[in-house]
Protein backbone atom coordinates (compact mmCIF):
# COMPACT_ATOMS: atom_id res chain seq x y z
CA UNK A 1 0.00 0.00 0.00
CA UNK A 2 2.88 2.42 0.71
CA UNK A 3 5.31 1.28 -1.97
CA UNK A 4 7.21 4.29 -3.32
CA UNK A 5 6.65 6.35 -0.16
CA UNK A 6 9.49 7.40 2.16
CA UNK A 7 8.87 7.61 5.89
CA UNK A 8 10.84 9.32 8.64
CA UNK A 9 9.98 7.85 12.05
CA UNK A 10 11.57 9.74 14.91
CA UNK A 11 12.48 7.77 18.03
CA UNK A 12 12.22 4.45 16.21
CA UNK A 13 15.06 2.52 17.82
CA UNK A 14 12.63 1.39 20.52
CA UNK A 15 9.01 1.09 21.62
CA UNK A 16 6.16 2.70 19.70
CA UNK A 17 8.38 4.27 17.01
CA UNK A 18 9.84 0.88 16.18
CA UNK A 19 6.33 -0.62 16.02
CA UNK A 20 5.30 2.09 13.55
CA UNK A 21 8.49 1.71 11.47
CA UNK A 22 7.82 -2.04 11.21
CA UNK A 23 4.18 -1.50 10.20
CA UNK A 24 5.08 1.07 7.52
CA UNK A 25 7.91 -1.13 6.19
CA UNK A 26 5.50 -4.06 6.02
CA UNK A 27 3.37 -1.91 3.66
CA UNK A 28 6.39 -1.25 1.43
CA UNK A 29 7.51 2.21 2.61
CA UNK A 30 11.21 2.95 2.78
CA UNK A 31 12.20 4.01 6.26
CA UNK A 32 14.53 6.46 7.97
CA UNK A 33 15.07 5.23 11.51
CA UNK A 34 16.13 7.68 14.22
CA UNK A 35 16.86 7.49 17.92
CA UNK A 36 19.48 6.60 20.49
CA UNK A 37 20.97 3.26 21.43
CA UNK A 38 23.90 0.94 20.99
CA UNK A 39 25.28 1.52 17.46
CA UNK A 40 25.82 -2.19 16.76
CA UNK A 41 22.30 -3.06 17.95
CA UNK A 42 20.83 -0.27 15.79
CA UNK A 43 22.73 -1.53 12.74
CA UNK A 44 21.42 -5.06 13.36
CA UNK A 45 17.90 -3.66 13.67
CA UNK A 46 18.29 -1.63 10.45
CA UNK A 47 19.54 -4.66 8.52
CA UNK A 48 16.88 -7.00 9.87
CA UNK A 49 14.03 -4.60 8.99
CA UNK A 50 15.40 -4.14 5.45
CA UNK A 51 15.78 -7.89 5.03
CA UNK A 52 12.41 -8.85 6.55
CA UNK A 53 10.36 -6.40 4.48
CA UNK A 54 12.56 -5.96 1.37
CA UNK A 55 12.61 -2.16 1.68
CA UNK A 56 15.34 0.46 2.06
CA UNK A 57 16.00 1.23 5.71
CA UNK A 58 18.45 3.95 6.71
CA UNK A 59 19.43 5.37 10.09
CA UNK A 60 20.14 8.90 11.25
CA UNK A 61 21.00 9.38 14.94
CA UNK A 62 20.06 13.09 15.15
CA UNK A 63 19.46 14.41 18.67
CA UNK A 64 16.05 15.97 18.13
CA UNK A 65 16.19 18.10 21.23
CA UNK A 66 18.16 20.46 18.97
CA UNK A 67 16.21 22.29 16.27
CA UNK A 68 18.95 22.32 13.65
CA UNK A 69 19.39 18.53 14.03
CA UNK A 70 15.65 18.04 13.35
CA UNK A 71 15.96 19.99 10.11
CA UNK A 72 19.11 18.04 9.17
CA UNK A 73 17.28 14.73 9.70
CA UNK A 74 14.59 15.70 7.18
CA UNK A 75 17.15 16.98 4.69
CA UNK A 76 19.06 13.69 5.03
CA UNK A 77 15.86 11.76 4.20
CA UNK A 78 15.29 13.99 1.18
CA UNK A 79 18.85 13.35 -0.02
CA UNK A 80 19.34 9.66 0.74
CA UNK A 81 15.79 8.27 0.88
CA UNK A 82 14.15 10.30 -1.88
CA UNK A 83 11.98 12.43 0.36
CA UNK A 84 9.91 12.58 3.50
CA UNK A 85 6.39 11.71 2.34
CA UNK A 86 5.39 10.35 5.73
CA UNK A 87 6.60 12.08 8.86
CA UNK A 88 5.99 10.32 12.17
CA UNK A 89 6.89 12.65 15.04
CA UNK A 90 7.25 10.09 17.79
CA UNK A 91 10.43 10.64 19.83
CA UNK A 92 9.57 11.58 23.38
CA UNK A 93 10.74 11.46 26.98
CA UNK A 94 9.03 11.63 30.34
CA UNK A 95 9.94 13.16 33.70
CA UNK A 96 7.82 12.77 36.80
CA UNK A 97 7.90 15.26 39.70
CA UNK A 98 5.59 17.77 41.39
CA UNK A 99 5.78 21.22 39.82
CA UNK A 100 7.69 22.89 42.70
CA UNK A 101 10.39 20.23 42.48
CA UNK A 102 10.42 19.94 38.69
CA UNK A 103 14.00 20.70 37.55
CA UNK A 104 14.00 23.58 35.05
CA UNK A 105 16.44 21.73 32.78
CA UNK A 106 14.02 18.76 32.68
CA UNK A 107 11.19 21.10 31.66
CA UNK A 108 13.39 22.49 28.87
CA UNK A 109 14.40 18.99 27.71
CA UNK A 110 10.83 17.64 27.60
CA UNK A 111 9.48 20.70 25.76
CA UNK A 112 12.40 20.63 23.30
CA UNK A 113 11.89 17.00 22.31
CA UNK A 114 8.17 16.40 22.88
CA UNK A 115 6.98 19.70 21.36
CA UNK A 116 9.55 21.86 19.55
CA UNK A 117 11.13 18.97 17.60
CA UNK A 118 7.85 18.42 15.74
CA UNK A 119 7.70 22.09 14.76
CA UNK A 120 11.19 21.80 13.29
CA UNK A 121 10.62 18.53 11.42
CA UNK A 122 7.27 19.72 10.05
CA UNK A 123 8.55 23.12 8.89
CA UNK A 124 11.40 21.38 7.06
CA UNK A 125 9.36 18.52 5.54
CA UNK A 126 6.36 20.54 4.38
CA UNK A 127 7.85 22.13 1.22
CA UNK A 128 8.69 18.66 -0.18
CA UNK A 129 5.19 17.37 0.62
CA UNK A 130 3.62 20.40 -1.05
CA UNK A 131 5.71 19.89 -4.18
CA UNK A 132 4.55 16.27 -4.40
CA UNK A 133 0.95 17.14 -3.50
CA UNK A 134 0.90 14.30 -0.98
CA UNK A 135 2.01 14.00 2.62
CA UNK A 136 1.14 12.39 5.91
CA UNK A 137 2.12 13.86 9.26
CA UNK A 138 1.38 11.75 12.33
CA UNK A 139 2.22 13.27 15.69
CA UNK A 140 2.55 10.99 18.70
CA UNK A 141 0.56 12.73 21.40
CA UNK A 142 -0.91 10.78 24.32
CA UNK A 143 -4.05 10.63 26.41
CA UNK A 144 -2.04 13.28 28.24
CA UNK A 145 -2.65 15.52 25.23
CA UNK A 146 -6.35 15.38 26.12
CA UNK A 147 -6.43 15.11 29.91
CA UNK A 148 -4.00 15.40 32.81
CA UNK A 149 -2.42 13.39 35.64
CA UNK A 150 -0.39 14.66 38.58
CA UNK A 151 3.38 15.23 38.50
CA UNK A 152 3.82 15.34 34.71
CA UNK A 153 3.64 19.09 34.05
CA UNK A 154 6.14 19.24 31.17
CA UNK A 155 4.88 16.10 29.41
CA UNK A 156 1.23 17.15 29.66
CA UNK A 157 1.98 20.70 28.49
CA UNK A 158 3.96 19.37 25.53
CA UNK A 159 1.35 16.76 24.57
CA UNK A 160 -1.51 19.30 24.74
CA UNK A 161 0.71 21.52 22.58
CA UNK A 162 1.15 18.69 20.06
CA UNK A 163 -2.61 18.29 19.77
CA UNK A 164 -2.89 22.03 19.07
CA UNK A 165 -0.03 21.88 16.58
CA UNK A 166 -1.82 19.01 14.82
CA UNK A 167 -4.97 21.12 14.38
CA UNK A 168 -2.98 24.15 13.22
CA UNK A 169 -1.10 22.06 10.64
CA UNK A 170 -4.33 20.42 9.45
CA UNK A 171 -5.74 23.86 8.64
CA UNK A 172 -2.57 25.11 6.94
CA UNK A 173 -2.37 22.00 4.74
CA UNK A 174 -6.09 21.40 4.09
CA UNK A 175 -6.84 20.68 0.43
CA UNK A 176 -3.18 20.14 -0.49
CA UNK A 177 -3.17 16.33 -0.31
CA UNK A 178 -1.47 16.52 3.08
CA UNK A 179 -3.03 15.40 6.36
CA UNK A 180 -1.89 15.90 9.93
CA UNK A 181 -3.29 13.78 12.76
CA UNK A 182 -2.30 12.88 16.31
CA UNK A 183 -2.36 9.47 17.98
CA UNK A 184 -3.16 9.48 21.70
CA UNK A 185 -2.12 6.20 23.35
CA UNK A 186 -2.90 5.26 26.92
CA UNK A 187 -0.46 2.87 28.62
CA UNK A 188 1.83 1.01 26.21
CA UNK A 189 4.49 -1.25 27.77
CA UNK A 190 7.69 0.29 26.41
CA UNK A 191 10.93 1.32 28.15
CA UNK A 192 9.33 4.75 28.84
CA UNK A 193 6.53 3.12 30.86
CA UNK A 194 8.67 0.33 32.33
CA UNK A 195 10.63 3.07 34.14
CA UNK A 196 7.36 4.36 35.61
CA UNK A 197 6.30 0.84 36.66
CA UNK A 198 9.61 0.36 38.45
CA UNK A 199 9.37 3.78 40.15
CA UNK A 200 5.83 3.00 41.31
CA UNK A 201 6.80 -0.45 42.61
CA UNK A 202 9.64 1.11 44.60
CA UNK A 203 7.52 4.00 45.94
CA UNK A 204 4.63 1.73 47.01
CA UNK A 205 6.75 -1.21 48.18
CA UNK A 206 4.98 -3.65 45.83
CA UNK A 207 6.13 -6.00 43.07
CA UNK A 208 6.48 -4.70 39.52
CA UNK A 209 3.59 -6.98 38.49
CA UNK A 210 1.37 -5.44 41.17
CA UNK A 211 2.45 -1.89 40.22
CA UNK A 212 1.58 -2.68 36.61
CA UNK A 213 -1.86 -4.04 37.51
CA UNK A 214 -2.53 -0.98 39.71
CA UNK A 215 -1.55 1.44 36.94
CA UNK A 216 -3.83 -0.29 34.46
CA UNK A 217 -6.82 -0.55 36.77
CA UNK A 218 -6.61 3.13 37.78
CA UNK A 219 -6.84 4.62 34.28
CA UNK A 220 -7.14 2.01 31.51
CA UNK A 221 -10.55 0.27 31.79
CA UNK A 222 -9.59 -2.58 29.41
CA UNK A 223 -6.83 -3.41 31.95
CA UNK A 224 -4.53 -4.34 29.10
CA UNK A 225 -1.69 -2.43 27.50
CA UNK A 226 -2.09 -1.09 23.97
CA UNK A 227 0.58 -2.81 21.86
CA UNK A 228 3.11 -1.17 19.57
CA UNK A 229 1.68 -3.31 16.73
CA UNK A 230 -1.79 -1.81 17.30
CA UNK A 231 -0.36 1.71 17.15
CA UNK A 232 1.56 0.74 14.00
CA UNK A 233 -1.74 -0.40 12.48
CA UNK A 234 -3.38 2.93 13.28
CA UNK A 235 -0.46 4.84 11.74
CA UNK A 236 -0.74 2.74 8.56
CA UNK A 237 -4.47 3.49 8.41
CA UNK A 238 -3.76 7.23 8.71
CA UNK A 239 -1.38 6.89 5.74
CA UNK A 240 -3.96 5.00 3.65
CA UNK A 241 -6.36 6.47 1.11
CA UNK A 242 -9.24 5.65 3.49
CA UNK A 243 -7.88 8.50 5.64
CA UNK A 244 -7.43 11.00 2.78
CA UNK A 245 -10.09 13.26 4.26
CA UNK A 246 -9.17 12.76 7.92
CA UNK A 247 -7.09 15.60 9.28
CA UNK A 248 -6.69 17.53 12.51
CA UNK A 249 -7.87 14.62 14.65
CA UNK A 250 -6.48 13.39 17.96
CA UNK A 251 -7.27 9.67 18.17
CA UNK A 252 -7.22 7.87 21.52
CA UNK A 253 -6.01 4.25 21.50
CA UNK A 254 -6.28 3.75 25.21
CA UNK A 255 -8.51 0.86 26.32
CA UNK A 256 -11.23 3.34 27.28
CA UNK A 257 -9.13 5.82 29.34
CA UNK A 258 -10.73 8.83 27.68
CA UNK A 259 -14.22 7.40 28.27
CA UNK A 260 -13.78 7.56 32.05
P1 LIG B 1 10.69 4.71 24.28
O1 LIG B 1 11.51 5.25 25.40
O2 LIG B 1 10.57 3.23 24.10
O3 LIG B 1 11.19 5.30 22.89
C1 LIG B 1 11.59 6.64 22.75
C2 LIG B 1 12.40 6.77 21.49
O4 LIG B 1 12.82 8.13 21.38
C3 LIG B 1 13.68 5.91 21.49
O5 LIG B 1 13.94 5.45 20.19
C4 LIG B 1 14.74 6.92 21.92
O6 LIG B 1 16.06 6.57 21.52
C5 LIG B 1 14.25 8.16 21.19
N1 LIG B 1 14.79 9.40 21.73
C6 LIG B 1 14.89 9.81 23.03
N2 LIG B 1 15.48 11.01 23.09
C7 LIG B 1 15.75 11.39 21.81
C8 LIG B 1 16.34 12.54 21.22
N3 LIG B 1 16.78 13.58 21.96
N4 LIG B 1 16.48 12.58 19.87
C9 LIG B 1 16.05 11.54 19.10
N5 LIG B 1 15.46 10.43 19.60
C10 LIG B 1 15.32 10.36 20.95
O7 LIG B 1 9.26 5.39 24.48
P2 LIG B 1 7.83 5.07 23.85
O8 LIG B 1 6.93 4.67 24.96
O9 LIG B 1 7.93 4.21 22.66
O10 LIG B 1 7.40 6.55 23.45
C11 LIG B 1 7.29 6.99 22.11
C12 LIG B 1 6.30 8.14 22.06
O11 LIG B 1 5.03 7.68 22.46
C13 LIG B 1 6.65 9.30 22.96
O12 LIG B 1 6.36 10.53 22.31
C14 LIG B 1 5.72 9.11 24.15
O13 LIG B 1 5.42 10.31 24.80
C15 LIG B 1 4.50 8.54 23.44
N6 LIG B 1 3.58 7.81 24.32
C16 LIG B 1 3.97 6.70 24.97
C17 LIG B 1 3.07 6.04 25.79
C18 LIG B 1 3.42 4.78 26.52
O14 LIG B 1 2.60 4.31 27.33
N7 LIG B 1 4.56 4.17 26.30
C19 LIG B 1 1.77 6.54 25.94
C20 LIG B 1 1.42 7.69 25.26
C21 LIG B 1 2.33 8.33 24.44
Amino acid sequence: MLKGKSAVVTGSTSGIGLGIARALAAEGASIMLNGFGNPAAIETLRESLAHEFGVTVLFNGADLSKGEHCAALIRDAETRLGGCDILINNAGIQYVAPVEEFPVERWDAVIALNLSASFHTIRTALPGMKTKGWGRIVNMASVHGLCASVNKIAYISAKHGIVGMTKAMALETAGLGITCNAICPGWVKTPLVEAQILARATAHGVSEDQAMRDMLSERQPSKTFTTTEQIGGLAVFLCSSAADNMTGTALPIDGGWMAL
Side-chain angles (χ1 to χ4, degrees), residues 197-216:
I197 294 170
L198 186 62
R200 184 177 175 128
T202 310
H204 294 214
V206 296
S207 69
E208 283 182 47
D209 261 7
Q210 187 58 49
M212 208 163 65
R213 280 196 296 274
D214 293 346
M215 276 166 72
L216 285 170

Side-chain angles (χ1 to χ4, degrees), residues 11 13-14 16 36 63-64 90 140-141 155 159 185-186 188 190-191 193:
T13 52
S14 160
I16 293 172
F36 296 157
D63 175 355
L64 303 182
N90 167 79
M140 193 52 57
Y155 189 86
K159 295 300 187 184
V188 187
T190 66
V193 161

Side-chain angles (χ1 to χ4, degrees), residues 91-174:
I93 50 173
Q94 176 63 282
Y95 192 81
V96 181
V99 63
E100 316 92 289
E101 291 159 28
F102 210 94
V104 171
E105 61 278 11
R106 293 291 190 164
W107 165 271
D108 289 342
V110 172
I111 297 297
L113 183 63
N114 295 19
L115 181 61
S116 302
S118 300
F119 160 72
H120 291 293
T121 53
I122 290 171
R123 75 179 172 81
T124 314
L126 214 45
M129 292 179 179
K130 283 183 175 170
T131 302
K132 291 187 182 177
W134 195 92
R136 290 287 185 271
I137 301 167
V138 178
N139 294 326
M140 193 52 57
S142 163
V143 284
H144 285 125
L146 304 169
C147 70
S149 298
V150 292
N151 298 340
K152 295 182 176 177
I153 182 84
Y155 189 86
I156 288 162
S157 302
K159 295 300 187 184
H160 275 70
I162 278 291
V163 169
M165 188 187 297
T166 301
K167 294 176 184 173
M169 282 307 95
L171 295 184
E172 285 194 33
T173 57

